[in-house]
PDB file of all heavy atoms in Angstrom:
ATOM      1  N   ILE A  60      89.090 108.575 128.897  1.00  0.00           N
ATOM      2  CA  ILE A  60      89.020 107.591 130.034  1.00  0.00           C
ATOM      3  C   ILE A  60      89.795 106.349 129.573  1.00  0.00           C
ATOM      4  O   ILE A  60      90.547 105.827 130.286  1.00  0.00           O
ATOM      5  CB  ILE A  60      87.586 107.271 130.453  1.00  0.00           C
ATOM      6  CG1 ILE A  60      87.064 108.570 131.144  1.00  0.00           C
ATOM      7  CG2 ILE A  60      87.627 106.058 131.355  1.00  0.00           C
ATOM      8  CD1 ILE A  60      85.501 108.447 131.360  1.00  0.00           C
ATOM      9  N   GLY A  61      89.534 105.869 128.409  1.00  0.00           N
ATOM     10  CA  GLY A  61      90.142 104.754 127.849  1.00  0.00           C
ATOM     11  C   GLY A  61      91.760 104.890 127.711  1.00  0.00           C
ATOM     12  O   GLY A  61      92.478 103.978 128.076  1.00  0.00           O
ATOM     13  N   THR A  62      92.123 106.057 127.309  1.00  0.00           N
ATOM     14  CA  THR A  62      93.519 106.367 127.149  1.00  0.00           C
ATOM     15  C   THR A  62      94.137 106.381 128.581  1.00  0.00           C
ATOM     16  O   THR A  62      95.328 105.775 128.816  1.00  0.00           O
ATOM     17  CB  THR A  62      93.786 107.680 126.442  1.00  0.00           C
ATOM     18  OG1 THR A  62      93.159 107.612 125.182  1.00  0.00           O
ATOM     19  CG2 THR A  62      95.313 108.037 126.338  1.00  0.00           C
ATOM     20  N   ALA A  63      93.493 107.039 129.535  1.00  0.00           N
ATOM     21  CA  ALA A  63      94.103 107.101 130.890  1.00  0.00           C
ATOM     22  C   ALA A  63      94.143 105.669 131.502  1.00  0.00           C
ATOM     23  O   ALA A  63      95.080 105.459 132.296  1.00  0.00           O
ATOM     24  CB  ALA A  63      93.129 107.946 131.690  1.00  0.00           C
ATOM     25  N   LEU A  64      93.248 104.814 131.260  1.00  0.00           N
ATOM     26  CA  LEU A  64      93.218 103.428 131.785  1.00  0.00           C
ATOM     27  C   LEU A  64      94.340 102.670 131.070  1.00  0.00           C
ATOM     28  O   LEU A  64      94.912 101.649 131.649  1.00  0.00           O
ATOM     29  CB  LEU A  64      91.932 102.725 131.543  1.00  0.00           C
ATOM     30  CG  LEU A  64      90.724 103.289 132.431  1.00  0.00           C
ATOM     31  CD1 LEU A  64      89.396 102.633 132.101  1.00  0.00           C
ATOM     32  CD2 LEU A  64      91.123 103.159 133.904  1.00  0.00           C
ATOM     33  N   PHE A  65      94.672 103.049 129.920  1.00  0.00           N
ATOM     34  CA  PHE A  65      95.676 102.281 129.156  1.00  0.00           C
ATOM     35  C   PHE A  65      97.141 102.694 129.532  1.00  0.00           C
ATOM     36  O   PHE A  65      98.135 101.925 129.351  1.00  0.00           O
ATOM     37  CB  PHE A  65      95.527 102.441 127.634  1.00  0.00           C
ATOM     38  CG  PHE A  65      96.491 101.724 126.794  1.00  0.00           C
ATOM     39  CD1 PHE A  65      96.555 100.412 126.614  1.00  0.00           C
ATOM     40  CD2 PHE A  65      97.512 102.517 126.033  1.00  0.00           C
ATOM     41  CE1 PHE A  65      97.514  99.797 125.878  1.00  0.00           C
ATOM     42  CE2 PHE A  65      98.418 101.909 125.252  1.00  0.00           C
ATOM     43  CZ  PHE A  65      98.439 100.487 125.197  1.00  0.00           C
ATOM     44  N   PHE A  66      97.394 103.927 130.036  1.00  0.00           N
ATOM     45  CA  PHE A  66      98.630 104.466 130.325  1.00  0.00           C
ATOM     46  C   PHE A  66      99.489 103.515 131.275  1.00  0.00           C
ATOM     47  O   PHE A  66     100.660 103.377 130.928  1.00  0.00           O
ATOM     48  CB  PHE A  66      98.623 105.840 131.022  1.00  0.00           C
ATOM     49  CG  PHE A  66      98.545 106.946 130.035  1.00  0.00           C
ATOM     50  CD1 PHE A  66      97.944 108.187 130.433  1.00  0.00           C
ATOM     51  CD2 PHE A  66      98.889 106.899 128.758  1.00  0.00           C
ATOM     52  CE1 PHE A  66      97.842 109.292 129.577  1.00  0.00           C
ATOM     53  CE2 PHE A  66      98.914 107.878 127.872  1.00  0.00           C
ATOM     54  CZ  PHE A  66      98.349 109.113 128.320  1.00  0.00           C
ATOM     55  N   PRO A  67      98.953 102.955 132.352  1.00  0.00           N
ATOM     56  CA  PRO A  67      99.749 102.113 133.101  1.00  0.00           C
ATOM     57  C   PRO A  67     100.354 100.890 132.376  1.00  0.00           C
ATOM     58  O   PRO A  67     101.439 100.430 132.489  1.00  0.00           O
ATOM     59  CB  PRO A  67      98.880 101.611 134.266  1.00  0.00           C
ATOM     60  CG  PRO A  67      97.781 102.676 134.280  1.00  0.00           C
ATOM     61  CD  PRO A  67      97.610 103.198 132.909  1.00  0.00           C
ATOM     62  N   PHE A  68      99.449 100.319 131.519  1.00  0.00           N
ATOM     63  CA  PHE A  68      99.981  99.140 130.664  1.00  0.00           C
ATOM     64  C   PHE A  68     101.045  99.578 129.742  1.00  0.00           C
ATOM     65  O   PHE A  68     102.027  98.807 129.565  1.00  0.00           O
ATOM     66  CB  PHE A  68      98.711  98.513 129.969  1.00  0.00           C
ATOM     67  CG  PHE A  68      97.695  97.928 130.890  1.00  0.00           C
ATOM     68  CD1 PHE A  68      96.554  98.576 131.070  1.00  0.00           C
ATOM     69  CD2 PHE A  68      97.968  96.736 131.516  1.00  0.00           C
ATOM     70  CE1 PHE A  68      95.543  98.090 131.980  1.00  0.00           C
ATOM     71  CE2 PHE A  68      97.024  96.254 132.428  1.00  0.00           C
ATOM     72  CZ  PHE A  68      95.714  96.919 132.589  1.00  0.00           C
ATOM     73  N   TYR A  69     100.743 100.751 129.106  1.00  0.00           N
ATOM     74  CA  TYR A  69     101.802 101.235 128.171  1.00  0.00           C
ATOM     75  C   TYR A  69     103.137 101.488 128.819  1.00  0.00           C
ATOM     76  O   TYR A  69     104.124 101.120 128.289  1.00  0.00           O
ATOM     77  CB  TYR A  69     101.282 102.519 127.473  1.00  0.00           C
ATOM     78  CG  TYR A  69     102.226 103.106 126.458  1.00  0.00           C
ATOM     79  CD1 TYR A  69     102.249 102.669 125.217  1.00  0.00           C
ATOM     80  CD2 TYR A  69     103.101 104.003 126.918  1.00  0.00           C
ATOM     81  CE1 TYR A  69     103.104 103.179 124.255  1.00  0.00           C
ATOM     82  CE2 TYR A  69     104.039 104.666 125.963  1.00  0.00           C
ATOM     83  CZ  TYR A  69     103.974 104.208 124.651  1.00  0.00           C
ATOM     84  OH  TYR A  69     104.931 104.629 123.756  1.00  0.00           O
ATOM     85  N   ALA A  70     103.046 102.081 129.930  1.00  0.00           N
ATOM     86  CA  ALA A  70     104.256 102.406 130.645  1.00  0.00           C
ATOM     87  C   ALA A  70     105.001 101.134 131.143  1.00  0.00           C
ATOM     88  O   ALA A  70     106.257 101.090 131.001  1.00  0.00           O
ATOM     89  CB  ALA A  70     104.070 103.316 131.992  1.00  0.00           C
ATOM     90  N   ASP A  71     104.338 100.219 131.588  1.00  0.00           N
ATOM     91  CA  ASP A  71     104.873  98.913 131.970  1.00  0.00           C
ATOM     92  C   ASP A  71     105.493  98.156 130.798  1.00  0.00           C
ATOM     93  O   ASP A  71     106.622  97.546 130.970  1.00  0.00           O
ATOM     94  CB  ASP A  71     103.862  98.081 132.715  1.00  0.00           C
ATOM     95  CG  ASP A  71     104.509  96.801 133.301  1.00  0.00           C
ATOM     96  OD1 ASP A  71     105.583  96.987 133.948  1.00  0.00           O
ATOM     97  OD2 ASP A  71     103.927  95.844 133.258  1.00  0.00           O
ATOM     98  N   LEU A  72     104.788  98.106 129.638  1.00  0.00           N
ATOM     99  CA  LEU A  72     105.143  97.285 128.486  1.00  0.00           C
ATOM    100  C   LEU A  72     106.163  97.913 127.616  1.00  0.00           C
ATOM    101  O   LEU A  72     106.936  97.287 126.898  1.00  0.00           O
ATOM    102  CB  LEU A  72     103.978  96.774 127.794  1.00  0.00           C
ATOM    103  CG  LEU A  72     102.990  95.928 128.507  1.00  0.00           C
ATOM    104  CD1 LEU A  72     101.743  95.666 127.750  1.00  0.00           C
ATOM    105  CD2 LEU A  72     103.702  94.566 128.903  1.00  0.00           C
ATOM    106  N   PHE A  73     106.085  99.227 127.437  1.00  0.00           N
ATOM    107  CA  PHE A  73     106.844  99.855 126.296  1.00  0.00           C
ATOM    108  C   PHE A  73     107.822 100.925 126.752  1.00  0.00           C
ATOM    109  O   PHE A  73     108.418 101.647 125.861  1.00  0.00           O
ATOM    110  CB  PHE A  73     105.769 100.531 125.337  1.00  0.00           C
ATOM    111  CG  PHE A  73     104.905  99.532 124.676  1.00  0.00           C
ATOM    112  CD1 PHE A  73     103.570  99.388 125.082  1.00  0.00           C
ATOM    113  CD2 PHE A  73     105.399  98.699 123.640  1.00  0.00           C
ATOM    114  CE1 PHE A  73     102.736  98.552 124.553  1.00  0.00           C
ATOM    115  CE2 PHE A  73     104.504  97.737 123.166  1.00  0.00           C
ATOM    116  CZ  PHE A  73     103.195  97.610 123.511  1.00  0.00           C
ATOM    117  N   THR A  74     107.986 101.234 127.994  1.00  0.00           N
ATOM    118  CA  THR A  74     109.039 102.108 128.485  1.00  0.00           C
ATOM    119  C   THR A  74     110.042 101.403 129.230  1.00  0.00           C
ATOM    120  O   THR A  74     109.877 100.341 129.897  1.00  0.00           O
ATOM    121  CB  THR A  74     108.456 103.284 129.238  1.00  0.00           C
ATOM    122  OG1 THR A  74     107.966 102.751 130.431  1.00  0.00           O
ATOM    123  CG2 THR A  74     107.429 104.046 128.524  1.00  0.00           C
ATOM    124  N   GLU A  75     111.341 102.007 129.188  1.00  0.00           N
ATOM    125  CA  GLU A  75     112.348 101.218 129.983  1.00  0.00           C
ATOM    126  C   GLU A  75     112.242 101.459 131.387  1.00  0.00           C
ATOM    127  O   GLU A  75     112.630 100.573 132.244  1.00  0.00           O
ATOM    128  CB  GLU A  75     113.713 101.805 129.469  1.00  0.00           C
ATOM    129  CG  GLU A  75     114.089 101.513 128.050  1.00  0.00           C
ATOM    130  CD  GLU A  75     115.333 102.095 127.514  1.00  0.00           C
ATOM    131  OE1 GLU A  75     116.079 102.523 128.322  1.00  0.00           O
ATOM    132  OE2 GLU A  75     115.564 102.036 126.250  1.00  0.00           O
ATOM    133  N   THR A  76     111.766 102.534 131.920  1.00  0.00           N
ATOM    134  CA  THR A  76     111.724 102.926 133.243  1.00  0.00           C
ATOM    135  C   THR A  76     110.381 102.397 133.974  1.00  0.00           C
ATOM    136  O   THR A  76     110.319 102.400 135.210  1.00  0.00           O
ATOM    137  CB  THR A  76     111.807 104.416 133.526  1.00  0.00           C
ATOM    138  OG1 THR A  76     110.763 105.136 132.844  1.00  0.00           O
ATOM    139  CG2 THR A  76     113.169 104.975 132.938  1.00  0.00           C
ATOM    140  N   GLY A  77     109.328 102.173 133.173  1.00  0.00           N
ATOM    141  CA  GLY A  77     108.098 101.798 133.667  1.00  0.00           C
ATOM    142  C   GLY A  77     107.219 103.070 134.025  1.00  0.00           C
ATOM    143  O   GLY A  77     106.204 102.808 134.687  1.00  0.00           O
ATOM    144  N   THR A  78     107.721 104.184 133.739  1.00  0.00           N
ATOM    145  CA  THR A  78     106.886 105.456 133.995  1.00  0.00           C
ATOM    146  C   THR A  78     106.777 106.292 132.758  1.00  0.00           C
ATOM    147  O   THR A  78     107.566 106.131 131.718  1.00  0.00           O
ATOM    148  CB  THR A  78     107.586 106.137 135.199  1.00  0.00           C
ATOM    149  OG1 THR A  78     108.907 106.653 134.608  1.00  0.00           O
ATOM    150  CG2 THR A  78     107.740 105.531 136.323  1.00  0.00           C
ATOM    151  N   LEU A  79     105.892 107.216 132.763  1.00  0.00           N
ATOM    152  CA  LEU A  79     105.646 108.033 131.654  1.00  0.00           C
ATOM    153  C   LEU A  79     106.070 109.510 132.127  1.00  0.00           C
ATOM    154  O   LEU A  79     105.807 109.918 133.206  1.00  0.00           O
ATOM    155  CB  LEU A  79     104.199 108.188 131.231  1.00  0.00           C
ATOM    156  CG  LEU A  79     103.629 106.924 130.774  1.00  0.00           C
ATOM    157  CD1 LEU A  79     102.140 106.995 130.473  1.00  0.00           C
ATOM    158  CD2 LEU A  79     104.350 106.495 129.387  1.00  0.00           C
ATOM    159  N   ASN A  80     106.673 110.269 131.153  1.00  0.00           N
ATOM    160  CA  ASN A  80     107.181 111.562 131.434  1.00  0.00           C
ATOM    161  C   ASN A  80     106.348 112.566 130.762  1.00  0.00           C
ATOM    162  O   ASN A  80     106.309 112.557 129.474  1.00  0.00           O
ATOM    163  CB  ASN A  80     108.600 111.804 131.014  1.00  0.00           C
ATOM    164  CG  ASN A  80     109.185 113.186 131.308  1.00  0.00           C
ATOM    165  OD1 ASN A  80     108.481 113.912 131.892  1.00  0.00           O
ATOM    166  ND2 ASN A  80     110.357 113.321 130.940  1.00  0.00           N
ATOM    167  N   PHE A  81     105.505 113.330 131.444  1.00  0.00           N
ATOM    168  CA  PHE A  81     104.656 114.347 130.912  1.00  0.00           C
ATOM    169  C   PHE A  81     105.123 115.801 131.019  1.00  0.00           C
ATOM    170  O   PHE A  81     104.394 116.670 131.066  1.00  0.00           O
ATOM    171  CB  PHE A  81     103.293 114.276 131.479  1.00  0.00           C
ATOM    172  CG  PHE A  81     102.546 113.027 131.089  1.00  0.00           C
ATOM    173  CD1 PHE A  81     102.318 112.005 131.987  1.00  0.00           C
ATOM    174  CD2 PHE A  81     101.997 112.847 129.838  1.00  0.00           C
ATOM    175  CE1 PHE A  81     101.623 110.867 131.681  1.00  0.00           C
ATOM    176  CE2 PHE A  81     101.293 111.639 129.457  1.00  0.00           C
ATOM    177  CZ  PHE A  81     101.204 110.676 130.437  1.00  0.00           C
ATOM    178  N   ALA A  82     106.448 115.927 131.156  1.00  0.00           N
ATOM    179  CA  ALA A  82     106.919 117.229 131.384  1.00  0.00           C
ATOM    180  C   ALA A  82     106.912 118.041 130.042  1.00  0.00           C
ATOM    181  O   ALA A  82     107.301 117.665 129.040  1.00  0.00           O
ATOM    182  CB  ALA A  82     108.455 117.182 131.855  1.00  0.00           C
ATOM    183  N   MET A  83     106.162 119.247 130.220  1.00  0.00           N
ATOM    184  CA  MET A  83     105.962 120.033 128.933  1.00  0.00           C
ATOM    185  C   MET A  83     106.200 121.540 129.416  1.00  0.00           C
ATOM    186  O   MET A  83     105.855 121.843 130.515  1.00  0.00           O
ATOM    187  CB  MET A  83     104.531 119.829 128.423  1.00  0.00           C
ATOM    188  CG  MET A  83     104.351 118.395 127.948  1.00  0.00           C
ATOM    189  SD  MET A  83     102.781 118.155 126.962  1.00  0.00           S
ATOM    190  CE  MET A  83     101.592 118.919 127.997  1.00  0.00           C
ATOM    191  N   ASN A  84     106.617 122.358 128.463  1.00  0.00           N
ATOM    192  CA  ASN A  84     106.749 123.655 128.644  1.00  0.00           C
ATOM    193  C   ASN A  84     105.390 124.430 128.337  1.00  0.00           C
ATOM    194  O   ASN A  84     104.506 123.754 127.779  1.00  0.00           O
ATOM    195  CB  ASN A  84     107.942 124.367 127.960  1.00  0.00           C
ATOM    196  CG  ASN A  84     107.835 124.228 126.461  1.00  0.00           C
ATOM    197  OD1 ASN A  84     106.770 124.410 125.876  1.00  0.00           O
ATOM    198  ND2 ASN A  84     108.931 124.057 125.890  1.00  0.00           N
ATOM    199  N   SER A  85     105.353 125.733 128.464  1.00  0.00           N
ATOM    200  CA  SER A  85     104.153 126.344 128.283  1.00  0.00           C
ATOM    201  C   SER A  85     103.630 126.325 126.843  1.00  0.00           C
ATOM    202  O   SER A  85     102.446 126.225 126.447  1.00  0.00           O
ATOM    203  CB  SER A  85     104.191 127.794 128.672  1.00  0.00           C
ATOM    204  OG  SER A  85     105.221 128.489 128.121  1.00  0.00           O
ATOM    205  N   MET A  86     104.650 126.456 125.872  1.00  0.00           N
ATOM    206  CA  MET A  86     104.242 126.303 124.407  1.00  0.00           C
ATOM    207  C   MET A  86     103.770 125.032 124.163  1.00  0.00           C
ATOM    208  O   MET A  86     102.824 124.883 123.193  1.00  0.00           O
ATOM    209  CB  MET A  86     105.352 126.831 123.591  1.00  0.00           C
ATOM    210  CG  MET A  86     105.534 128.262 123.530  1.00  0.00           C
ATOM    211  SD  MET A  86     104.160 129.222 123.104  1.00  0.00           S
ATOM    212  CE  MET A  86     103.747 128.845 121.489  1.00  0.00           C
ATOM    213  N   ASP A  87     104.250 123.981 124.684  1.00  0.00           N
ATOM    214  CA  ASP A  87     103.768 122.617 124.433  1.00  0.00           C
ATOM    215  C   ASP A  87     102.253 122.578 124.740  1.00  0.00           C
ATOM    216  O   ASP A  87     101.468 121.905 124.122  1.00  0.00           O
ATOM    217  CB  ASP A  87     104.517 121.547 125.240  1.00  0.00           C
ATOM    218  CG  ASP A  87     105.920 121.402 124.713  1.00  0.00           C
ATOM    219  OD1 ASP A  87     106.234 121.773 123.564  1.00  0.00           O
ATOM    220  OD2 ASP A  87     106.770 120.924 125.459  1.00  0.00           O
ATOM    221  N   TRP A  88     101.914 123.152 125.933  1.00  0.00           N
ATOM    222  CA  TRP A  88     100.504 123.086 126.368  1.00  0.00           C
ATOM    223  C   TRP A  88      99.599 123.925 125.350  1.00  0.00           C
ATOM    224  O   TRP A  88      98.526 123.485 125.118  1.00  0.00           O
ATOM    225  CB  TRP A  88     100.401 123.678 127.787  1.00  0.00           C
ATOM    226  CG  TRP A  88     100.761 122.764 128.836  1.00  0.00           C
ATOM    227  CD1 TRP A  88     101.892 122.756 129.619  1.00  0.00           C
ATOM    228  CD2 TRP A  88      99.998 121.620 129.304  1.00  0.00           C
ATOM    229  NE1 TRP A  88     101.905 121.686 130.407  1.00  0.00           N
ATOM    230  CE2 TRP A  88     100.796 120.939 130.232  1.00  0.00           C
ATOM    231  CE3 TRP A  88      98.787 121.010 128.872  1.00  0.00           C
ATOM    232  CZ2 TRP A  88     100.354 119.793 130.853  1.00  0.00           C
ATOM    233  CZ3 TRP A  88      98.466 119.877 129.517  1.00  0.00           C
ATOM    234  CH2 TRP A  88      99.216 119.268 130.540  1.00  0.00           C
ATOM    235  N   VAL A  89     100.153 125.037 124.843  1.00  0.00           N
ATOM    236  CA  VAL A  89      99.340 125.732 123.853  1.00  0.00           C
ATOM    237  C   VAL A  89      99.223 125.000 122.562  1.00  0.00           C
ATOM    238  O   VAL A  89      98.048 124.915 122.090  1.00  0.00           O
ATOM    239  CB  VAL A  89     100.113 127.104 123.510  1.00  0.00           C
ATOM    240  CG1 VAL A  89      99.502 127.818 122.359  1.00  0.00           C
ATOM    241  CG2 VAL A  89     100.171 128.064 124.627  1.00  0.00           C
ATOM    242  N   TYR A  90     100.310 124.307 122.157  1.00  0.00           N
ATOM    243  CA  TYR A  90     100.071 123.489 120.924  1.00  0.00           C
ATOM    244  C   TYR A  90      99.171 122.356 121.210  1.00  0.00           C
ATOM    245  O   TYR A  90      98.318 121.922 120.334  1.00  0.00           O
ATOM    246  CB  TYR A  90     101.438 123.028 120.443  1.00  0.00           C
ATOM    247  CG  TYR A  90     102.315 124.053 119.911  1.00  0.00           C
ATOM    248  CD1 TYR A  90     103.717 124.127 120.229  1.00  0.00           C
ATOM    249  CD2 TYR A  90     101.879 125.049 119.115  1.00  0.00           C
ATOM    250  CE1 TYR A  90     104.557 125.200 119.819  1.00  0.00           C
ATOM    251  CE2 TYR A  90     102.664 126.062 118.566  1.00  0.00           C
ATOM    252  CZ  TYR A  90     103.973 126.107 119.045  1.00  0.00           C
ATOM    253  OH  TYR A  90     104.861 127.032 118.449  1.00  0.00           O
ATOM    254  N   LEU A  91      99.289 121.660 122.332  1.00  0.00           N
ATOM    255  CA  LEU A  91      98.402 120.506 122.682  1.00  0.00           C
ATOM    256  C   LEU A  91      96.978 121.023 122.730  1.00  0.00           C
ATOM    257  O   LEU A  91      96.051 120.310 122.259  1.00  0.00           O
ATOM    258  CB  LEU A  91      98.773 119.943 123.991  1.00  0.00           C
ATOM    259  CG  LEU A  91      98.108 118.660 124.421  1.00  0.00           C
ATOM    260  CD1 LEU A  91      98.328 117.541 123.445  1.00  0.00           C
ATOM    261  CD2 LEU A  91      98.550 118.244 125.770  1.00  0.00           C
ATOM    262  N   LEU A  92      96.676 122.137 123.327  1.00  0.00           N
ATOM    263  CA  LEU A  92      95.350 122.628 123.455  1.00  0.00           C
ATOM    264  C   LEU A  92      94.750 123.006 121.984  1.00  0.00           C
ATOM    265  O   LEU A  92      93.716 122.685 121.663  1.00  0.00           O
ATOM    266  CB  LEU A  92      95.284 123.908 124.398  1.00  0.00           C
ATOM    267  CG  LEU A  92      93.961 124.403 124.741  1.00  0.00           C
ATOM    268  CD1 LEU A  92      93.182 123.349 125.520  1.00  0.00           C
ATOM    269  CD2 LEU A  92      94.058 125.708 125.499  1.00  0.00           C
ATOM    270  N   LEU A  93      95.628 123.605 121.246  1.00  0.00           N
ATOM    271  CA  LEU A  93      95.210 123.948 119.917  1.00  0.00           C
ATOM    272  C   LEU A  93      94.927 122.697 119.043  1.00  0.00           C
ATOM    273  O   LEU A  93      93.882 122.584 118.438  1.00  0.00           O
ATOM    274  CB  LEU A  93      96.299 124.810 119.067  1.00  0.00           C
ATOM    275  CG  LEU A  93      96.055 125.157 117.701  1.00  0.00           C
ATOM    276  CD1 LEU A  93      95.017 126.262 117.663  1.00  0.00           C
ATOM    277  CD2 LEU A  93      97.291 125.687 117.115  1.00  0.00           C
ATOM    278  N   LEU A  94      95.776 121.690 119.163  1.00  0.00           N
ATOM    279  CA  LEU A  94      95.538 120.378 118.514  1.00  0.00           C
ATOM    280  C   LEU A  94      94.287 119.752 118.997  1.00  0.00           C
ATOM    281  O   LEU A  94      93.483 119.227 118.209  1.00  0.00           O
ATOM    282  CB  LEU A  94      96.742 119.537 118.793  1.00  0.00           C
ATOM    283  CG  LEU A  94      96.706 118.128 118.143  1.00  0.00           C
ATOM    284  CD1 LEU A  94      96.691 118.299 116.566  1.00  0.00           C
ATOM    285  CD2 LEU A  94      97.887 117.288 118.635  1.00  0.00           C
ATOM    286  N   ALA A  95      94.007 119.811 120.287  1.00  0.00           N
ATOM    287  CA  ALA A  95      92.881 119.116 120.876  1.00  0.00           C
ATOM    288  C   ALA A  95      91.558 119.792 120.489  1.00  0.00           C
ATOM    289  O   ALA A  95      90.587 119.155 120.078  1.00  0.00           O
ATOM    290  CB  ALA A  95      92.980 119.054 122.417  1.00  0.00           C
ATOM    291  N   VAL A  96      91.514 121.118 120.550  1.00  0.00           N
ATOM    292  CA  VAL A  96      90.264 121.852 120.377  1.00  0.00           C
ATOM    293  C   VAL A  96      89.977 121.964 118.906  1.00  0.00           C
ATOM    294  O   VAL A  96      88.829 121.648 118.471  1.00  0.00           O
ATOM    295  CB  VAL A  96      90.355 123.221 121.073  1.00  0.00           C
ATOM    296  CG1 VAL A  96      89.163 124.060 120.664  1.00  0.00           C
ATOM    297  CG2 VAL A  96      90.417 123.081 122.509  1.00  0.00           C
ATOM    298  N   VAL A  97      90.931 122.467 118.111  1.00  0.00           N
ATOM    299  CA  VAL A  97      90.687 122.788 116.721  1.00  0.00           C
ATOM    300  C   VAL A  97      90.753 121.594 115.842  1.00  0.00           C
ATOM    301  O   VAL A  97      89.845 121.282 115.015  1.00  0.00           O
ATOM    302  CB  VAL A  97      91.601 123.867 116.215  1.00  0.00           C
ATOM    303  CG1 VAL A  97      91.462 124.133 114.749  1.00  0.00           C
ATOM    304  CG2 VAL A  97      91.455 125.229 117.008  1.00  0.00           C
ATOM    305  N   CYS A  98      91.843 120.876 115.992  1.00  0.00           N
ATOM    306  CA  CYS A  98      92.025 119.742 114.960  1.00  0.00           C
ATOM    307  C   CYS A  98      91.315 118.448 115.500  1.00  0.00           C
ATOM    308  O   CYS A  98      91.237 117.559 114.606  1.00  0.00           O
ATOM    309  CB  CYS A  98      93.630 119.431 114.855  1.00  0.00           C
ATOM    310  SG  CYS A  98      94.481 120.819 114.248  1.00  0.00           S
ATOM    311  N   THR A  99      90.953 118.349 116.722  1.00  0.00           N
ATOM    312  CA  THR A  99      90.175 117.148 117.167  1.00  0.00           C
ATOM    313  C   THR A  99      88.699 117.356 117.375  1.00  0.00           C
ATOM    314  O   THR A  99      87.882 116.835 116.687  1.00  0.00           O
ATOM    315  CB  THR A  99      90.922 116.522 118.285  1.00  0.00           C
ATOM    316  OG1 THR A  99      92.267 116.219 117.940  1.00  0.00           O
ATOM    317  CG2 THR A  99      90.249 115.181 118.683  1.00  0.00           C
ATOM    318  N   VAL A 100      88.462 118.171 118.446  1.00  0.00           N
ATOM    319  CA  VAL A 100      87.095 118.296 118.779  1.00  0.00           C
ATOM    320  C   VAL A 100      86.228 119.055 117.794  1.00  0.00           C
ATOM    321  O   VAL A 100      85.193 118.572 117.395  1.00  0.00           O
ATOM    322  CB  VAL A 100      86.944 118.981 120.231  1.00  0.00           C
ATOM    323  CG1 VAL A 100      85.513 119.359 120.582  1.00  0.00           C
ATOM    324  CG2 VAL A 100      87.752 118.192 121.289  1.00  0.00           C
ATOM    325  N   TYR A 101      86.643 120.156 117.321  1.00  0.00           N
ATOM    326  CA  TYR A 101      85.935 120.869 116.268  1.00  0.00           C
ATOM    327  C   TYR A 101      85.775 120.082 114.945  1.00  0.00           C
ATOM    328  O   TYR A 101      84.619 119.901 114.472  1.00  0.00           O
ATOM    329  CB  TYR A 101      86.629 122.327 115.955  1.00  0.00           C
ATOM    330  CG  TYR A 101      85.982 122.949 114.795  1.00  0.00           C
ATOM    331  CD1 TYR A 101      84.667 123.498 114.877  1.00  0.00           C
ATOM    332  CD2 TYR A 101      86.476 122.915 113.553  1.00  0.00           C
ATOM    333  CE1 TYR A 101      84.042 124.120 113.789  1.00  0.00           C
ATOM    334  CE2 TYR A 101      85.871 123.501 112.464  1.00  0.00           C
ATOM    335  CZ  TYR A 101      84.668 124.119 112.646  1.00  0.00           C
ATOM    336  OH  TYR A 101      84.029 124.610 111.512  1.00  0.00           O
TER     337      TYR A 101
END
Side-chain angles (χ1 to χ4, degrees):
I60 292 167
T62 302
L64 292 174
F65 179 70
F66 275 159
F68 297 106
Y69 180 83
D71 188 43
L72 296 172
F73 298 107
T74 63
E75 293 177 13
T76 62
T78 61
L79 297 173
N80 181 5
F81 291 107
M83 297 191 306
N84 64 37
S85 58
M86 282 310 292
D87 290 339
W88 283 104
V89 170
Y90 292 138
L91 184 62
L92 190 62
L93 181 70
L94 181 67
V96 173
V97 176
C98 300
T99 304
V100 175
Y101 172 74

